[in-house]
Amino acid sequence: MDDGKLKAPEIADYKTQVEQIKPQPKLLKNCVWAFATGGFICLLAQIIFNYLLASGLDKIQAGNSVSIIMIFLGALLTGLGVYDKIVEKAGAGAIVPITGFANAIVASAMEFKHEGYIFGVGSKIFSVVGPTLLFGFVFSVLIGLIKVFINA
Amino acid sequence: MPTSKKKGTQTVVFARPPGISSWASIVGPKEGAGPWGSYFDWRLNDYLFGEETWEKAESKLLRETVKLAISKGNYQESDMELLIAGDLLNQTIASNFAARDLALPLLGIFGACSTIAEGLIIGAMLIDGDCIQRLVAAASSHHYTAERQFRLPTEQGTQKPPTAQWTATAAGAAVLDGLAAAGPRITAVTIGRVVDMGITDAADMGSAMAPAAVDSIKRHLRDMGRPLSYYDLVVTGDLGRIGKTMAEKLLSHEGIEPYSNYKDCGVSLFGLKQSGVNAGASGCGCSASMLCGPLLKKITDGDIHKLLFVATGALMSPLSSWQGESIPGIAHAVAIEY
Amino acid sequence: MISLLIAFLTGGCLCLIGQLVMDKTNSSVSSGHILVGFISGGAILSGAGLYQPLVDWAGEGASIPLSGFGNLLTQGALRGAEKGITGAFSGGVEATAAGITAAIVFGYVMAVLFNPKG
């Protein structure tokens, strides 16, 4: 480091040294939390689904209703300031379920209230919904089109 | 042709070392609950500080800290000829808006988390250069303004890796007075170079900044012809636990040993048991509040006579991170003696 | 009762995969990346005919993770594709319209009602 300019080997060596001392995430603990929380959220959804099915809804109606209810719960818990605390512990267990999707939506929308309701909240609400739906749409439409061509 | 005050390659030694005549620090709830809580002037109970937005809260945090530093030294606001301030927000709005209310001439600066040292260096030079007699140097950071600018919306759930650091909600301000009778003085400063060791992980800024810190320490010691043990305490800004370990490795690699008198504000500010803190604290307010709280108090108490304060900064932006750029680090050294 | 247990285990396993991806890759993988990854993964597996059987077996355990949302999109597009090209475009959104609209409307309402607490 003497002449001021850094040499490539020094940089590579430094990176290796950092990797060696970097603490790793507590994998087992994180996985147990993720599994239990993710499982619990799906269990809750299944209870609601079974109840709706028993009260006479068909499978598609019940499925849609469950999605709406879970999205509502995720959104509400985000508004109340609870959901980010859950994710801190549960990690992917609370990110992967649709409640985590709702959390990302509400969090990014709520954060930009003071920047205005139209181009603050209104545009930032899509900062997570946007890319997520985008890739969902692109892949599903592509697969649909492939099917059209196979059928034809 | 070197000037009479320049020593070595990057160091300036003052002919009439400016005194730090007064200082103040205000910290957030988490910092107040840390091991140094009682050393800060005010500990806030919440992050909004009675304001509507976090940006306004940070600006108020900086403004009130400056006011407090002025009044603690029995000065009037009008006694101050200049405010040198900076923060982490885009276009340093916390400082700009604080200066608007203070009606002081402003030099707004940006050195990421090394800002307070940059302010002290510029200020000390202006005073020793006989341009200005009294000024305030200040810096602030706020956990939630930083989160929403650099990372994610505050309510979005994430799990931070163990290398991540918690941006401190804190501000520190110091009054520099060329006519100060007694008290701690800035005797020499070393302006740091930008050092980039190719670290790209924005969740591990300590490792990115450690080489810059060691570079500045090494150059300061060489320019001054001093061993590390000349100082009772050498303290870096916000390297955190991983960055500090890397800095220690680099120090011994450079033959700068022993470093038992070496500490880091990012490691010290929070207690080990505090949740969400992971590798320690970061942010302009981390080193600024530690200096304008515990460190200067310990100097006036006589626990520390010679302090080398090396504030560190990571000079990336969200944009540069998205573009895959590595994180350049900087560190400025300020020698404070009493 | 058995449906509840299967939902728990399947949902747990899918989240476990997400956690492994987060912890085993570098820390630039954010929660947004996980969401995008799961919806894309679900959509593609569904196109390969692998995800719908999982949903049929595990119910909400496979539907509630965001991969289930991707599956719903693809299944809709495939049903629409039976009616031609237009159907391939409209089918996905038709199948997921309730969820998408709920997410955006509830998102906006909550953002108006609440303030971030940090």
Side-chain angles (χ1 to χ4, degrees), chain C residues 28-64:
Chain C
S28 60
V29 175
S30 70
S31 45
H33 289 103
I34 294 288
L35 290 173
V36 170
F38 265 81
I39 202 167
S40 309
I44 293 167
L45 287 177
S46 174
L50 299 173
Y51 204 90
Q52 188 57 41
L54 186 67
V55 173
D56 293 339
W57 179 66
E60 297 304 311
S63 297
I64 285 297

PDB file of all heavy atoms in Angstrom, chain C residues 28-64:
ATOM      1  N   SER C  28     -26.887  -9.300  -0.794  1.00  0.00           N
ATOM      2  CA  SER C  28     -27.615  -8.378  -1.658  1.00  0.00           C
ATOM      3  C   SER C  28     -28.962  -8.955  -2.087  1.00  0.00           C
ATOM      4  O   SER C  28     -29.744  -8.283  -2.740  1.00  0.00           O
ATOM      5  CB  SER C  28     -26.773  -8.021  -2.880  1.00  0.00           C
ATOM      6  OG  SER C  28     -26.475  -9.191  -3.591  1.00  0.00           O
ATOM      7  N   VAL C  29     -29.249 -10.208  -1.721  1.00  0.00           N
ATOM      8  CA  VAL C  29     -30.567 -10.784  -1.998  1.00  0.00           C
ATOM      9  C   VAL C  29     -31.547 -10.236  -0.963  1.00  0.00           C
ATOM     10  O   VAL C  29     -31.491 -10.584   0.199  1.00  0.00           O
ATOM     11  CB  VAL C  29     -30.529 -12.325  -1.951  1.00  0.00           C
ATOM     12  CG1 VAL C  29     -31.918 -12.896  -2.127  1.00  0.00           C
ATOM     13  CG2 VAL C  29     -29.605 -12.861  -3.032  1.00  0.00           C
ATOM     14  N   SER C  30     -32.444  -9.352  -1.408  1.00  0.00           N
ATOM     15  CA  SER C  30     -33.381  -8.728  -0.470  1.00  0.00           C
ATOM     16  C   SER C  30     -34.698  -9.485  -0.475  1.00  0.00           C
ATOM     17  O   SER C  30     -34.886 -10.427  -1.242  1.00  0.00           O
ATOM     18  CB  SER C  30     -33.618  -7.282  -0.885  1.00  0.00           C
ATOM     19  OG  SER C  30     -34.362  -7.264  -2.082  1.00  0.00           O
ATOM     20  N   SER C  31     -35.606  -9.033   0.378  1.00  0.00           N
ATOM     21  CA  SER C  31     -36.912  -9.689   0.419  1.00  0.00           C
ATOM     22  C   SER C  31     -37.632  -9.516  -0.921  1.00  0.00           C
ATOM     23  O   SER C  31     -38.385 -10.384  -1.337  1.00  0.00           O
ATOM     24  CB  SER C  31     -37.743  -9.141   1.580  1.00  0.00           C
ATOM     25  OG  SER C  31     -37.654  -7.734   1.625  1.00  0.00           O
ATOM     26  N   GLY C  32     -37.390  -8.393  -1.600  1.00  0.00           N
ATOM     27  CA  GLY C  32     -37.988  -8.188  -2.914  1.00  0.00           C
ATOM     28  C   GLY C  32     -37.522  -9.237  -3.915  1.00  0.00           C
ATOM     29  O   GLY C  32     -38.326  -9.774  -4.680  1.00  0.00           O
ATOM     30  N   HIS C  33     -36.223  -9.558  -3.867  1.00  0.00           N
ATOM     31  CA  HIS C  33     -35.703 -10.601  -4.752  1.00  0.00           C
ATOM     32  C   HIS C  33     -36.369 -11.945  -4.464  1.00  0.00           C
ATOM     33  O   HIS C  33     -36.659 -12.710  -5.372  1.00  0.00           O
ATOM     34  CB  HIS C  33     -34.191 -10.759  -4.561  1.00  0.00           C
ATOM     35  CG  HIS C  33     -33.392  -9.616  -5.108  1.00  0.00           C
ATOM     36  ND1 HIS C  33     -32.857  -8.652  -4.305  1.00  0.00           N
ATOM     37  CD2 HIS C  33     -33.071  -9.279  -6.378  1.00  0.00           C
ATOM     38  CE1 HIS C  33     -32.216  -7.766  -5.055  1.00  0.00           C
ATOM     39  NE2 HIS C  33     -32.333  -8.116  -6.316  1.00  0.00           N
ATOM     40  N   ILE C  34     -36.574 -12.221  -3.172  1.00  0.00           N
ATOM     41  CA  ILE C  34     -37.206 -13.488  -2.793  1.00  0.00           C
ATOM     42  C   ILE C  34     -38.616 -13.563  -3.382  1.00  0.00           C
ATOM     43  O   ILE C  34     -39.028 -14.583  -3.942  1.00  0.00           O
ATOM     44  CB  ILE C  34     -37.254 -13.609  -1.243  1.00  0.00           C
ATOM     45  CG1 ILE C  34     -35.835 -13.716  -0.677  1.00  0.00           C
ATOM     46  CG2 ILE C  34     -38.091 -14.797  -0.810  1.00  0.00           C
ATOM     47  CD1 ILE C  34     -35.140 -15.027  -0.938  1.00  0.00           C
ATOM     48  N   LEU C  35     -39.362 -12.459  -3.261  1.00  0.00           N
ATOM     49  CA  LEU C  35     -40.729 -12.440  -3.784  1.00  0.00           C
ATOM     50  C   LEU C  35     -40.732 -12.659  -5.289  1.00  0.00           C
ATOM     51  O   LEU C  35     -41.502 -13.467  -5.818  1.00  0.00           O
ATOM     52  CB  LEU C  35     -41.408 -11.106  -3.440  1.00  0.00           C
ATOM     53  CG  LEU C  35     -41.743 -10.895  -1.959  1.00  0.00           C
ATOM     54  CD1 LEU C  35     -42.252  -9.485  -1.720  1.00  0.00           C
ATOM     55  CD2 LEU C  35     -42.776 -11.909  -1.485  1.00  0.00           C
ATOM     56  N   VAL C  36     -39.857 -11.929  -5.997  1.00  0.00           N
ATOM     57  CA  VAL C  36     -39.774 -12.077  -7.455  1.00  0.00           C
ATOM     58  C   VAL C  36     -39.371 -13.511  -7.811  1.00  0.00           C
ATOM     59  O   VAL C  36     -39.942 -14.133  -8.709  1.00  0.00           O
ATOM     60  CB  VAL C  36     -38.769 -11.060  -8.051  1.00  0.00           C
ATOM     61  CG1 VAL C  36     -38.506 -11.366  -9.514  1.00  0.00           C
ATOM     62  CG2 VAL C  36     -39.278  -9.643  -7.906  1.00  0.00           C
ATOM     63  N   GLY C  37     -38.400 -14.046  -7.064  1.00  0.00           N
ATOM     64  CA  GLY C  37     -37.940 -15.410  -7.317  1.00  0.00           C
ATOM     65  C   GLY C  37     -39.050 -16.436  -7.142  1.00  0.00           C
ATOM     66  O   GLY C  37     -39.210 -17.340  -7.964  1.00  0.00           O
ATOM     67  N   PHE C  38     -39.835 -16.289  -6.076  1.00  0.00           N
ATOM     68  CA  PHE C  38     -40.885 -17.274  -5.821  1.00  0.00           C
ATOM     69  C   PHE C  38     -42.012 -17.192  -6.837  1.00  0.00           C
ATOM     70  O   PHE C  38     -42.523 -18.214  -7.277  1.00  0.00           O
ATOM     71  CB  PHE C  38     -41.419 -17.142  -4.385  1.00  0.00           C
ATOM     72  CG  PHE C  38     -40.735 -18.078  -3.447  1.00  0.00           C
ATOM     73  CD1 PHE C  38     -39.499 -17.757  -2.911  1.00  0.00           C
ATOM     74  CD2 PHE C  38     -41.293 -19.317  -3.140  1.00  0.00           C
ATOM     75  CE1 PHE C  38     -38.845 -18.631  -2.073  1.00  0.00           C
ATOM     76  CE2 PHE C  38     -40.641 -20.202  -2.299  1.00  0.00           C
ATOM     77  CZ  PHE C  38     -39.419 -19.865  -1.767  1.00  0.00           C
ATOM     78  N   ILE C  39     -42.421 -15.963  -7.206  1.00  0.00           N
ATOM     79  CA  ILE C  39     -43.531 -15.871  -8.166  1.00  0.00           C
ATOM     80  C   ILE C  39     -43.069 -16.409  -9.523  1.00  0.00           C
ATOM     81  O   ILE C  39     -43.809 -17.143 -10.196  1.00  0.00           O
ATOM     82  CB  ILE C  39     -44.085 -14.424  -8.261  1.00  0.00           C
ATOM     83  CG1 ILE C  39     -45.516 -14.448  -8.814  1.00  0.00           C
ATOM     84  CG2 ILE C  39     -43.225 -13.523  -9.112  1.00  0.00           C
ATOM     85  CD1 ILE C  39     -46.247 -13.140  -8.663  1.00  0.00           C
ATOM     86  N   SER C  40     -41.822 -16.121  -9.914  1.00  0.00           N
ATOM     87  CA  SER C  40     -41.307 -16.622 -11.191  1.00  0.00           C
ATOM     88  C   SER C  40     -41.167 -18.142 -11.144  1.00  0.00           C
ATOM     89  O   SER C  40     -41.578 -18.845 -12.077  1.00  0.00           O
ATOM     90  CB  SER C  40     -39.943 -16.004 -11.503  1.00  0.00           C
ATOM     91  OG  SER C  40     -39.994 -14.613 -11.374  1.00  0.00           O
ATOM     92  N   GLY C  41     -40.574 -18.619 -10.039  1.00  0.00           N
ATOM     93  CA  GLY C  41     -40.387 -20.060  -9.880  1.00  0.00           C
ATOM     94  C   GLY C  41     -41.707 -20.798  -9.936  1.00  0.00           C
ATOM     95  O   GLY C  41     -41.834 -21.823 -10.623  1.00  0.00           O
ATOM     96  N   GLY C  42     -42.703 -20.267  -9.238  1.00  0.00           N
ATOM     97  CA  GLY C  42     -44.028 -20.892  -9.236  1.00  0.00           C
ATOM     98  C   GLY C  42     -44.625 -20.920 -10.629  1.00  0.00           C
ATOM     99  O   GLY C  42     -45.185 -21.930 -11.061  1.00  0.00           O
ATOM    100  N   ALA C  43     -44.490 -19.786 -11.347  1.00  0.00           N
ATOM    101  CA  ALA C  43     -45.058 -19.699 -12.693  1.00  0.00           C
ATOM    102  C   ALA C  43     -44.411 -20.711 -13.618  1.00  0.00           C
ATOM    103  O   ALA C  43     -45.089 -21.392 -14.397  1.00  0.00           O
ATOM    104  CB  ALA C  43     -44.884 -18.281 -13.242  1.00  0.00           C
ATOM    105  N   ILE C  44     -43.081 -20.843 -13.519  1.00  0.00           N
ATOM    106  CA  ILE C  44     -42.363 -21.743 -14.436  1.00  0.00           C
ATOM    107  C   ILE C  44     -42.650 -23.208 -14.098  1.00  0.00           C
ATOM    108  O   ILE C  44     -42.962 -24.021 -14.973  1.00  0.00           O
ATOM    109  CB  ILE C  44     -40.844 -21.444 -14.383  1.00  0.00           C
ATOM    110  CG1 ILE C  44     -40.585 -20.047 -14.978  1.00  0.00           C
ATOM    111  CG2 ILE C  44     -40.057 -22.498 -15.148  1.00  0.00           C
ATOM    112  CD1 ILE C  44     -39.212 -19.498 -14.709  1.00  0.00           C
ATOM    113  N   LEU C  45     -42.591 -23.552 -12.793  1.00  0.00           N
ATOM    114  CA  LEU C  45     -42.888 -24.932 -12.387  1.00  0.00           C
ATOM    115  C   LEU C  45     -44.305 -25.313 -12.794  1.00  0.00           C
ATOM    116  O   LEU C  45     -44.581 -26.451 -13.175  1.00  0.00           O
ATOM    117  CB  LEU C  45     -42.713 -25.084 -10.871  1.00  0.00           C
ATOM    118  CG  LEU C  45     -41.272 -25.094 -10.365  1.00  0.00           C
ATOM    119  CD1 LEU C  45     -41.251 -25.164  -8.850  1.00  0.00           C
ATOM    120  CD2 LEU C  45     -40.502 -26.269 -10.962  1.00  0.00           C
ATOM    121  N   SER C  46     -45.194 -24.336 -12.714  1.00  0.00           N
ATOM    122  CA  SER C  46     -46.578 -24.579 -13.085  1.00  0.00           C
ATOM    123  C   SER C  46     -46.676 -24.892 -14.575  1.00  0.00           C
ATOM    124  O   SER C  46     -47.412 -25.785 -14.993  1.00  0.00           O
ATOM    125  CB  SER C  46     -47.408 -23.348 -12.736  1.00  0.00           C
ATOM    126  OG  SER C  46     -48.706 -23.496 -13.193  1.00  0.00           O
ATOM    127  N   GLY C  47     -45.895 -24.146 -15.370  1.00  0.00           N
ATOM    128  CA  GLY C  47     -45.876 -24.392 -16.811  1.00  0.00           C
ATOM    129  C   GLY C  47     -45.343 -25.782 -17.135  1.00  0.00           C
ATOM    130  O   GLY C  47     -45.772 -26.420 -18.096  1.00  0.00           O
ATOM    131  N   ALA C  48     -44.427 -26.270 -16.296  1.00  0.00           N
ATOM    132  CA  ALA C  48     -43.879 -27.607 -16.490  1.00  0.00           C
ATOM    133  C   ALA C  48     -44.807 -28.678 -15.926  1.00  0.00           C
ATOM    134  O   ALA C  48     -44.483 -29.859 -15.947  1.00  0.00           O
ATOM    135  CB  ALA C  48     -42.502 -27.694 -15.834  1.00  0.00           C
ATOM    136  N   GLY C  49     -45.950 -28.237 -15.402  1.00  0.00           N
ATOM    137  CA  GLY C  49     -46.932 -29.192 -14.880  1.00  0.00           C
ATOM    138  C   GLY C  49     -46.589 -29.744 -13.520  1.00  0.00           C
ATOM    139  O   GLY C  49     -47.130 -30.754 -13.084  1.00  0.00           O
ATOM    140  N   LEU C  50     -45.674 -29.086 -12.796  1.00  0.00           N
ATOM    141  CA  LEU C  50     -45.220 -29.634 -11.522  1.00  0.00           C
ATOM    142  C   LEU C  50     -45.893 -28.993 -10.304  1.00  0.00           C
ATOM    143  O   LEU C  50     -45.979 -29.593  -9.246  1.00  0.00           O
ATOM    144  CB  LEU C  50     -43.695 -29.448 -11.393  1.00  0.00           C
ATOM    145  CG  LEU C  50     -42.847 -30.151 -12.455  1.00  0.00           C
ATOM    146  CD1 LEU C  50     -41.396 -29.749 -12.330  1.00  0.00           C
ATOM    147  CD2 LEU C  50     -43.010 -31.665 -12.337  1.00  0.00           C
ATOM    148  N   TYR C  51     -46.358 -27.748 -10.449  1.00  0.00           N
ATOM    149  CA  TYR C  51     -46.817 -27.062  -9.241  1.00  0.00           C
ATOM    150  C   TYR C  51     -48.281 -27.365  -8.914  1.00  0.00           C
ATOM    151  O   TYR C  51     -48.633 -27.513  -7.743  1.00  0.00           O
ATOM    152  CB  TYR C  51     -46.596 -25.551  -9.359  1.00  0.00           C
ATOM    153  CG  TYR C  51     -46.486 -24.883  -8.003  1.00  0.00           C
ATOM    154  CD1 TYR C  51     -45.253 -24.736  -7.378  1.00  0.00           C
ATOM    155  CD2 TYR C  51     -47.621 -24.440  -7.325  1.00  0.00           C
ATOM    156  CE1 TYR C  51     -45.148 -24.161  -6.125  1.00  0.00           C
ATOM    157  CE2 TYR C  51     -47.525 -23.864  -6.069  1.00  0.00           C
ATOM    158  CZ  TYR C  51     -46.287 -23.721  -5.471  1.00  0.00           C
ATOM    159  OH  TYR C  51     -46.190 -23.152  -4.239  1.00  0.00           O
ATOM    160  N   GLN C  52     -49.140 -27.445  -9.948  1.00  0.00           N
ATOM    161  CA  GLN C  52     -50.570 -27.663  -9.671  1.00  0.00           C
ATOM    162  C   GLN C  52     -50.811 -28.949  -8.875  1.00  0.00           C
ATOM    163  O   GLN C  52     -51.607 -28.940  -7.937  1.00  0.00           O
ATOM    164  CB  GLN C  52     -51.377 -27.637 -10.973  1.00  0.00           C
ATOM    165  CG  GLN C  52     -52.899 -27.653 -10.779  1.00  0.00           C
ATOM    166  CD  GLN C  52     -53.408 -26.505  -9.910  1.00  0.00           C
ATOM    167  OE1 GLN C  52     -52.959 -25.372 -10.018  1.00  0.00           O
ATOM    168  NE2 GLN C  52     -54.356 -26.820  -9.016  1.00  0.00           N
ATOM    169  N   PRO C  53     -50.107 -30.050  -9.200  1.00  0.00           N
ATOM    170  CA  PRO C  53     -50.294 -31.249  -8.364  1.00  0.00           C
ATOM    171  C   PRO C  53     -49.970 -30.993  -6.891  1.00  0.00           C
ATOM    172  O   PRO C  53     -50.631 -31.532  -5.995  1.00  0.00           O
ATOM    173  CB  PRO C  53     -49.298 -32.257  -8.970  1.00  0.00           C
ATOM    174  CG  PRO C  53     -49.108 -31.798 -10.370  1.00  0.00           C
ATOM    175  CD  PRO C  53     -49.260 -30.310 -10.364  1.00  0.00           C
ATOM    176  N   LEU C  54     -48.955 -30.147  -6.638  1.00  0.00           N
ATOM    177  CA  LEU C  54     -48.602 -29.818  -5.250  1.00  0.00           C
ATOM    178  C   LEU C  54     -49.743 -29.059  -4.575  1.00  0.00           C
ATOM    179  O   LEU C  54     -50.094 -29.334  -3.423  1.00  0.00           O
ATOM    180  CB  LEU C  54     -47.318 -28.983  -5.229  1.00  0.00           C
ATOM    181  CG  LEU C  54     -46.725 -28.674  -3.850  1.00  0.00           C
ATOM    182  CD1 LEU C  54     -46.226 -29.944  -3.176  1.00  0.00           C
ATOM    183  CD2 LEU C  54     -45.598 -27.661  -3.950  1.00  0.00           C
ATOM    184  N   VAL C  55     -50.346 -28.134  -5.324  1.00  0.00           N
ATOM    185  CA  VAL C  55     -51.481 -27.382  -4.777  1.00  0.00           C
ATOM    186  C   VAL C  55     -52.647 -28.327  -4.498  1.00  0.00           C
ATOM    187  O   VAL C  55     -53.302 -28.236  -3.455  1.00  0.00           O
ATOM    188  CB  VAL C  55     -51.904 -26.251  -5.743  1.00  0.00           C
ATOM    189  CG1 VAL C  55     -53.185 -25.579  -5.252  1.00  0.00           C
ATOM    190  CG2 VAL C  55     -50.791 -25.234  -5.897  1.00  0.00           C
ATOM    191  N   ASP C  56     -52.899 -29.257  -5.432  1.00  0.00           N
ATOM    192  CA  ASP C  56     -54.005 -30.197  -5.239  1.00  0.00           C
ATOM    193  C   ASP C  56     -53.816 -31.027  -3.982  1.00  0.00           C
ATOM    194  O   ASP C  56     -54.764 -31.354  -3.275  1.00  0.00           O
ATOM    195  CB  ASP C  56     -54.116 -31.132  -6.460  1.00  0.00           C
ATOM    196  CG  ASP C  56     -54.531 -30.366  -7.710  1.00  0.00           C
ATOM    197  OD1 ASP C  56     -55.107 -29.261  -7.544  1.00  0.00           O
ATOM    198  OD2 ASP C  56     -54.259 -30.840  -8.825  1.00  0.00           O
ATOM    199  N   TRP C  57     -52.542 -31.305  -3.660  1.00  0.00           N
ATOM    200  CA  TRP C  57     -52.257 -32.154  -2.506  1.00  0.00           C
ATOM    201  C   TRP C  57     -52.185 -31.326  -1.222  1.00  0.00           C
ATOM    202  O   TRP C  57     -52.768 -31.689  -0.198  1.00  0.00           O
ATOM    203  CB  TRP C  57     -50.920 -32.883  -2.739  1.00  0.00           C
ATOM    204  CG  TRP C  57     -50.527 -33.763  -1.588  1.00  0.00           C
ATOM    205  CD1 TRP C  57     -51.169 -34.885  -1.146  1.00  0.00           C
ATOM    206  CD2 TRP C  57     -49.400 -33.579  -0.734  1.00  0.00           C
ATOM    207  NE1 TRP C  57     -50.534 -35.409  -0.073  1.00  0.00           N
ATOM    208  CE2 TRP C  57     -49.438 -34.641   0.217  1.00  0.00           C
ATOM    209  CE3 TRP C  57     -48.369 -32.647  -0.652  1.00  0.00           C
ATOM    210  CZ2 TRP C  57     -48.467 -34.774   1.210  1.00  0.00           C
ATOM    211  CZ3 TRP C  57     -47.410 -32.790   0.330  1.00  0.00           C
ATOM    212  CH2 TRP C  57     -47.460 -33.838   1.250  1.00  0.00           C
ATOM    213  N   ALA C  58     -51.497 -30.186  -1.286  1.00  0.00           N
ATOM    214  CA  ALA C  58     -51.188 -29.455  -0.056  1.00  0.00           C
ATOM    215  C   ALA C  58     -52.104 -28.267   0.197  1.00  0.00           C
ATOM    216  O   ALA C  58     -52.008 -27.624   1.235  1.00  0.00           O
ATOM    217  CB  ALA C  58     -49.739 -28.979  -0.085  1.00  0.00           C
ATOM    218  N   GLY C  59     -52.993 -27.955  -0.739  1.00  0.00           N
ATOM    219  CA  GLY C  59     -53.934 -26.855  -0.520  1.00  0.00           C
ATOM    220  C   GLY C  59     -53.244 -25.539  -0.282  1.00  0.00           C
ATOM    221  O   GLY C  59     -52.348 -25.140  -1.025  1.00  0.00           O
ATOM    222  N   GLU C  60     -53.632 -24.879   0.803  1.00  0.00           N
ATOM    223  CA  GLU C  60     -53.106 -23.538   1.087  1.00  0.00           C
ATOM    224  C   GLU C  60     -51.602 -23.568   1.387  1.00  0.00           C
ATOM    225  O   GLU C  60     -50.926 -22.556   1.265  1.00  0.00           O
ATOM    226  CB  GLU C  60     -53.865 -22.903   2.251  1.00  0.00           C
ATOM    227  CG  GLU C  60     -55.348 -22.678   1.966  1.00  0.00           C
ATOM    228  CD  GLU C  60     -55.598 -21.841   0.723  1.00  0.00           C
ATOM    229  OE1 GLU C  60     -54.973 -20.775   0.607  1.00  0.00           O
ATOM    230  OE2 GLU C  60     -56.384 -22.270  -0.133  1.00  0.00           O
ATOM    231  N   GLY C  61     -51.089 -24.716   1.791  1.00  0.00           N
ATOM    232  CA  GLY C  61     -49.650 -24.836   2.038  1.00  0.00           C
ATOM    233  C   GLY C  61     -48.835 -24.527   0.796  1.00  0.00           C
ATOM    234  O   GLY C  61     -47.690 -24.081   0.886  1.00  0.00           O
ATOM    235  N   ALA C  62     -49.417 -24.770  -0.391  1.00  0.00           N
ATOM    236  CA  ALA C  62     -48.720 -24.444  -1.635  1.00  0.00           C
ATOM    237  C   ALA C  62     -49.284 -23.191  -2.284  1.00  0.00           C
ATOM    238  O   ALA C  62     -48.631 -22.594  -3.133  1.00  0.00           O
ATOM    239  CB  ALA C  62     -48.820 -25.613  -2.609  1.00  0.00           C
ATOM    240  N   SER C  63     -50.511 -22.789  -1.888  1.00  0.00           N
ATOM    241  CA  SER C  63     -51.141 -21.617  -2.513  1.00  0.00           C
ATOM    242  C   SER C  63     -50.700 -20.310  -1.885  1.00  0.00           C
ATOM    243  O   SER C  63     -50.542 -19.303  -2.569  1.00  0.00           O
ATOM    244  CB  SER C  63     -52.659 -21.701  -2.395  1.00  0.00           C
ATOM    245  OG  SER C  63     -53.135 -22.810  -3.093  1.00  0.00           O
ATOM    246  N   ILE C  64     -50.534 -20.314  -0.555  1.00  0.00           N
ATOM    247  CA  ILE C  64     -50.241 -19.061   0.160  1.00  0.00           C
ATOM    248  C   ILE C  64     -48.804 -18.567  -0.075  1.00  0.00           C
ATOM    249  O   ILE C  64     -48.592 -17.381  -0.245  1.00  0.00           O
ATOM    250  CB  ILE C  64     -50.580 -19.225   1.664  1.00  0.00           C
ATOM    251  CG1 ILE C  64     -52.101 -19.186   1.852  1.00  0.00           C
ATOM    252  CG2 ILE C  64     -49.917 -18.169   2.515  1.00  0.00           C
ATOM    253  CD1 ILE C  64     -52.774 -17.888   1.468  1.00  0.00           C
TER     254      ILE C  64
END
